[in-house]
Amino acid sequence: MSILVVGSVAFDTIHNHLGTHPKVLGGSATYASLAAAPYAPTQLVGVVGRDFPEDAIELMRRKRIGLDGLEVADGKTFHWEGRYTDDLTSRVSISTELNVFADFEPKVPKEARSVPYVLLGNIHPTLQMQVLDQLDSPKLVIADTMNFWIEGTPNELAEMLKRIDVLVINEDEARQLSGLYNIVKAAEKLRAAGPSTVIIKRGEYGALLFRASELFHAPALPLREVQDPTGAGDTFAGAFLGFVASRDATDEETLRQAVVHGSAVASYCVEGMSVSGLVDIKKQDIETRVDLFRRLIHIPTNPVH
Amino acid sequence: MSILVVGSVAFDTIHNHLGTHPKVLGGSATYASLAAAPYAPTQLVGVVGRDFPEDAIELMRRKRIGLDGLEVADGKTFHWEGRYTDDLTSRVSISTELNVFADFEPKVPKEARSVPYVLLGNIHPTLQMQVLDQLDSPKLVIADTMNFWIEGTPNELAEMLKRIDVLVINEDEARQLSGLYNIVKAAEKLRAAGPSTVIIKRGEYGALLFRASELFHAPALPLREVQDPTGAGDTFAGAFLGFVASRDATDEETLRQAVVHGSAVASYCVEGMSVSGLVDIKKQDIETRVDLFRRLIHIPTNPVH
């Protein structure tokens, strides 16, 4: 079953322990759709400027991402510049040039309105809702958000939460949005605000999946080398939804596997700069890494004495 | 097979979100031996002052902890006072009165010298080595340490590391001791310094077990209520070694289960003030919680299509 991804398509200029990487491909919709595409037909809704390079378009086409919803507007593409600390645990924004993204009004192509699986990337909650207004009745809507919207547009965010099925959110932002430090209580409060499922991302510590009666702890793979954590969360969400769409199921067992797939693809993402870790992975690579996750957490059962 | 636990036996005065708890039972050897005792015969080596109350002795006896190695010296018992932040993620020491612990020279009772499983609690590395000097040839020695010794007695600590099999250490302290931020590389460097197994404790995120070729990620149980994290690490180490001793095995599969048992008993520990969470747990309670851990991390396998 097919997927619609809405979010930013951007250039990122990244300063990290490896140097400066000017104007590499980035954006929440870019990462999420590259992660979802190996699983299911994926369409992207977003906007770029006239400066957006043909080879980036070509890359997305090669990954069979539907680009009918990618608007090319007069002006320049969204450009974010940031610097990571050497241990990659935090980053500061140096500049955010919204450019054509400032006037973005997502338009869902007519033939995509009946899409069953929807990912609302981390953009203004009003834009996220505008997308939902254009859709028939999706089976599952997953959304991301961040501190910027929690602080700046709390009312719109509250409205958006009522209309989604799955919220994917960082641990710190879950605490900020709920006002509760205890992560079990925070997730409970977020679920009461709308989404029946809440996924708390904990970076190198993995992720927690909260549902009505079930709690699932997914590990992250301890990696010897991390190049670039940019887009890891979007990648997680994209592969998560990709797996769900490939199974066309939203039961507990499917969602648990989907979280592990999200984590597995995100682990490839952070091993390369920009989207390079996602470009060449095949379904078999993902399965191999999912098996690594299974081995990583395997608890033997008691031998019979 | 039996266990020897060496470390501090203390009074703790704890200030936390629940109020002030004056002179409750504490100390690394206290927590560790209470956690180990349900698994295997456990003996404690430590020192208390004349003020140490009979009911604390009685509690340890009731848990069948061997106290032949618990010296009662003239003077007062070690007393630590500290304050936790409301979210329990950090604490500051208000005072540390070593008292009789200042002159502690661990003496292993003659009949305990052949004990196969040894836990060196978080004390001066020279004292930890003095204990090893008194032992025949234990099958497995596990040790804990902390920033105080990493900064204050690095040479002694380096000597100690060469003589142990398992190092249990907090994530931050693993980074400090190795000088490496990446946790995979940090564990590798620590293993090269002596212990064939390194366990990195990550608090509410669980623990990582590093061995020659294997890596195991154990979750922590997300808890709705935490009362007191004091002693959680000692409890983890005690139950870990308890499980190993009960199986009399040190293979990979046993150690993985031991880490989960350590985490399970530690989860009981933090749910109560001081040692109260450990006093009444039975083997069956631990098994029930281990089953919760198994369910928490269960990744379903693909259905056959």
Side-chain angles (χ1 to χ4, degrees):
Chain A
M1 303 293 275
S2 64
I3 295 172
L4 185 73
V5 172
V6 186
S8 58
V9 179
F11 292 130
D12 292 337
T13 293
I14 294 168
H15 306 272
N16 66 11
H17 62 302
L18 300 169
T20 289
H21 312 269
K23 288 203 166 187
V24 294
L25 186 56
S28 60
T30 312
Y31 280 101
S33 54
L34 285 170
Y39 292 95
T42 300
Q43 299 186 71
L44 186 158
V45 168
V47 64
V48 293
R50 300 273 171 214
D51 58 345
F52 198 69
E54 190 52 41
D55 61 350
I57 296 280
E58 201 39 58
L59 165 65
M60 292 199 262
R61 280 201 210 288
R62 202 168 73 238
K63 302 299 281 188
R64 282 177 293 180
I65 297 167
L67 298 178
D68 290 351
L70 182 65
E71 191 185 338
V72 182
D74 285 334
K76 291 167 77 179
T77 301
F78 182 11
H79 179 212
W80 174 79
E81 181 170 3
R83 182 183 302 279
Y84 282 91
T85 54
D86 277 357
D87 59 23
L88 299 174
T89 55
S90 64
R91 67 183 188 194
V92 287
S93 289
I94 294 171
S95 70
T96 303
E97 301 158 19
L98 290 176
N99 298 330
V100 297
F101 198 73
D103 301 315
F104 178 45
E105 289 191 3
K107 288 179 242 357
V108 178
K110 198 164 185 179
E111 62 281 12
R113 288 182 190 164
S114 58
V115 72
Y117 294 101
V118 179
L119 194 162
L120 304 174
N122 176 17
I123 55 176
H124 195 301
T126 300
L127 296 186
Q128 292 176 318
M129 286 189 282
Q130 279 176 18
V131 172
L132 296 182
D133 292 340
Q134 298 172 58
L135 299 176
D136 293 342
S137 54
K139 287 187 182 180
L140 189 92
V141 178
I142 173 171
D144 194 359
T145 194
M146 71 184 294
N147 52 0
F148 187 76
W149 312 117
I150 295 170
E151 291 155 19
T153 59
N155 297 332
E156 294 87 338
L157 182 55
E159 284 308 305
M160 186 276 282
L161 288 180
K162 291 179 191 158
R163 299 180 60 182
I164 63 171
D165 303 293
V166 181
L167 175 67
V168 183
I169 189 165
N170 285 338
E171 185 169 36
D172 286 348
E173 287 160 355
R175 290 178 166 139
Q176 184 184 13
L177 181 53
S178 66
L180 295 171
Y181 186 84
N182 180 284
I183 210 65
V184 179
K185 293 179 186 172
E188 237 165 49
K189 191 164 168 187
L190 295 179
R191 288 185 59 244
S196 60
T197 299
V198 169
I199 300 174
I200 311 269
K201 294 177 289 182
R202 307 198 288 179
E204 66 170 311
Y205 301 110
L208 291 173
L209 172 78
F210 291 87
R211 308 242 297 156
S213 59
E214 288 279 355
L215 174 53
F216 173 55
H217 167 116
L221 196 65
L223 297 170
R224 286 184 59 87
E225 301 290 347
V226 173
Q227 289 210 357
D228 181 13
T230 311
D234 308 306
T235 299
F236 174 91
F240 172 88
L241 190 63
F243 184 85
V244 169
S246 73
R247 291 299 165 88
D248 193 21
T250 60
D251 60 293
E252 168 74 23
E253 306 283 279
T254 301
L255 295 196
R256 282 183 177 234
Q257 290 180 72
V259 169
V260 177
H261 277 255
S263 304
V265 179
S267 75
Y268 279 114
C269 172
V270 303
E271 286 182 322
M273 274 306 303
S274 175
V275 300
S276 64
L278 299 179
V279 171
D280 295 322
I281 53 168
K282 306 271 180 298
K283 285 291 284 277
Q284 186 51 50
D285 299 322
I286 300 171
E287 290 299 340
T288 302
R289 195 146 281 195
V290 167
D291 286 343
L292 262 184
F293 275 77
R294 289 183 187 278
R295 180 64 201 154
L296 179 68
I297 61 158
H298 172 67
I299 306 172
T301 45
N302 296 338
V304 180
H305 284 291
Chain B
M1 303 293 273
S2 63
I3 295 171
L4 185 73
V5 172
V6 185
S8 58
V9 179
F11 292 130
D12 292 337
T13 293
I14 294 168
H15 306 271
N16 66 10
H17 62 302
L18 300 169
T20 290
H21 311 268
K23 288 203 165 186
V24 294
L25 185 57
S28 61
T30 312
Y31 280 101
S33 55
L34 284 171
Y39 292 94
T42 300
Q43 299 185 71
L44 186 157
V45 168
V47 64
V48 293
R50 299 277 170 208
D51 59 346
F52 198 68
E54 189 53 39
D55 61 351
I57 297 281
E58 201 40 57
L59 165 65
M60 292 198 262
R61 279 201 210 288
R62 203 169 72 236
K63 303 298 282 189
R64 283 177 293 181
I65 298 167
L67 298 178
D68 290 352
L70 182 65
E71 192 185 337
V72 182
D74 285 334
K76 291 166 78 178
T77 301
F78 183 10
H79 179 213
W80 174 79
E81 182 170 1
R83 183 183 302 280
Y84 282 91
T85 55
D86 278 356
D87 59 22
L88 299 173
T89 55
S90 65
R91 68 183 188 193
V92 288
S93 289
I94 295 171
S95 70
T96 303
E97 302 158 18
L98 291 175
N99 298 329
V100 296
F101 197 74
D103 301 315
F104 178 45
E105 290 192 4
K107 290 179 237 6
V108 177
K110 198 164 185 182
E111 63 279 14
R113 287 182 191 165
S114 59
V115 73
Y117 294 100
V118 178
L119 193 163
L120 304 173
N122 175 18
I123 55 176
H124 194 301
T126 300
L127 295 186
Q128 292 176 319
M129 287 189 281
Q130 279 176 19
V131 172
L132 296 182
D133 291 341
Q134 298 173 57
L135 299 176
D136 293 343
S137 55
K139 288 187 181 180
L140 189 93
V141 177
I142 173 171
D144 194 359
T145 194
M146 69 184 293
N147 50 2
F148 187 76
W149 312 116
I150 295 170
E151 292 155 19
T153 60
N155 298 332
E156 294 88 339
L157 182 55
E159 284 307 306
M160 187 276 283
L161 288 181
K162 292 179 191 157
R163 299 179 63 183
I164 64 171
D165 304 292
V166 181
L167 175 66
V168 184
I169 190 166
N170 285 339
E171 184 168 38
D172 287 348
E173 288 161 355
R175 289 178 166 140
Q176 184 183 13
L177 180 54
S178 66
L180 296 171
Y181 186 84
N182 180 284
I183 210 66
V184 179
K185 294 178 184 171
E188 237 164 48
K189 190 164 169 189
L190 295 179
R191 288 185 60 244
S196 61
T197 298
V198 169
I199 300 174
I200 312 268
K201 293 176 289 181
R202 307 198 286 180
E204 66 171 311
Y205 302 111
L208 291 173
L209 172 78
F210 291 87
R211 308 242 297 156
S213 59
E214 287 278 357
L215 175 52
F216 173 56
H217 167 116
L221 196 64
L223 297 170
R224 287 184 58 86
E225 303 288 348
V226 173
Q227 289 211 357
D228 181 14
T230 312
D234 307 307
T235 299
F236 174 91
F240 172 88
L241 190 62
F243 185 85
V244 169
S246 73
R247 292 297 166 87
D248 193 21
T250 60
D251 59 294
E252 168 75 22
E253 305 283 279
T254 301
L255 295 195
R256 283 183 175 233
Q257 291 180 72
V259 169
V260 176
H261 276 255
S263 303
V265 179
S267 75
Y268 279 115
C269 172
V270 303
E271 287 183 321
M273 275 306 303
S274 175
V275 300
S276 64
L278 299 179
V279 172
D280 295 322
I281 52 167
K282 307 271 179 299
K283 286 291 283 277
Q284 186 50 51
D285 299 321
I286 300 171
E287 290 298 340
T288 301
R289 194 147 281 195
V290 167
D291 287 343
L292 262 182
F293 275 76
R294 289 184 188 278
R295 179 65 200 155
L296 179 69
I297 60 158
H298 172 67
I299 306 173
T301 46
N302 296 338
V304 180
H305 284 289

